[in-house]
Amino acid sequence: MAALTPVIGPALLTGASVGLNLLQRSQEIQASETAARQQARSNEAQAALRLNDLRGQQAEDAAKRRDALRRAQARARATLASRGTGAATGSGAAILQGLAAETARDSAFSAQDFDLRAENVRLGLDTSNQRDLLRLSEQRRRAQIGTLRDGLSLTRRLDLF
């Protein structure tokens, strides 16, 4: 038994060290998971704010377009009336319809621009979340490899018995 004591002592210390390393890795992973969840919530909140800003800008631009259309149509009516031409028929109506059609095209382009920007925000959020998940997965993989390496080291020391 006395001959085994010099071997058992270091093996027990190695076993304790492996256990502590495993505990530390587990705590690090849990902390990383918590941080990843917090980061994901933060990213989602930022994305929601950006989307709200985009919606607000979209609404503001739409109001400006409507006001600009009203002003342009009023100018056109005034110009037509000063020339003695009515705005209800003929070329006057065509001018007013053209202004409305131009505003409708601008609105459609603005809607497409909004959709692209909103999709960009969503893709950025998805990319950020995927990057965080990959980072967490890599950390787990490294912890597993470290645990296996420590376990093999312990097994080798125990084989010395």
Side-chain angles (χ1 to χ4, degrees):
M1 183 82 174
L4 291 179
T5 304
V7 175
I8 293 175
L12 288 175
L13 287 176
T14 302
S17 176
V18 168
L20 288 175
N21 286 342
L22 180 60
L23 178 63
Q24 181 181 8
R25 287 182 188 125
S26 175
Q27 289 172 343
E28 288 173 357
I29 289 172
Q30 287 175 350
S32 294
E33 288 172 347
T34 300
R37 282 191 296 274
Q38 289 173 343
Q39 184 64 41
R41 283 192 296 271
S42 174
N43 290 345
E44 289 169 5
Q46 289 175 356
L49 287 174
R50 283 193 299 258
L51 287 173
N52 285 338
D53 287 345
L54 286 174
R55 286 184 192 105
Q57 185 64 43
Q58 178 76 1
E60 185 180 320
D61 290 347
K64 286 179 183 178
R65 275 190 302 280
R66 281 191 306 272
D67 290 343
L69 174 62
R70 287 186 198 119
R71 285 192 305 273
Q73 286 178 333
R75 268 193 312 275
R77 284 187 189 103
T79 301
L80 292 170
S82 71
R83 294 182 183 164
T85 309
T89 60
S91 63
I95 290 171
L96 295 178
Q97 288 174 354
L99 291 171
E102 184 179 334
T103 300
R105 270 193 315 274
D106 289 347
S107 292
F109 287 137
S110 179
Q112 288 175 347
D113 183 53
F114 170 80
D115 290 342
L116 289 173
R117 288 177 186 226
E119 184 63 21
N120 188 28
V121 169
R122 287 185 206 102
L123 286 174
L125 175 63
D126 290 345
T127 301
S128 178
N129 287 341
Q130 287 174 355
R131 185 179 54 244
D132 290 344
L133 287 174
L134 286 172
R135 189 177 302 128
L136 187 59
S137 175
E138 177 68 17
Q139 185 178 7
R140 282 183 188 145
R141 187 184 64 76
R142 286 183 182 178
Q144 289 170 345
I145 290 171
T147 301
L148 288 173
R149 184 180 56 239
D150 290 347
L152 288 174
S153 172
L154 178 61
T155 302
R156 286 185 190 133
R157 288 184 187 242
L158 292 176
D159 285 342
L160 295 176
F161 287 111

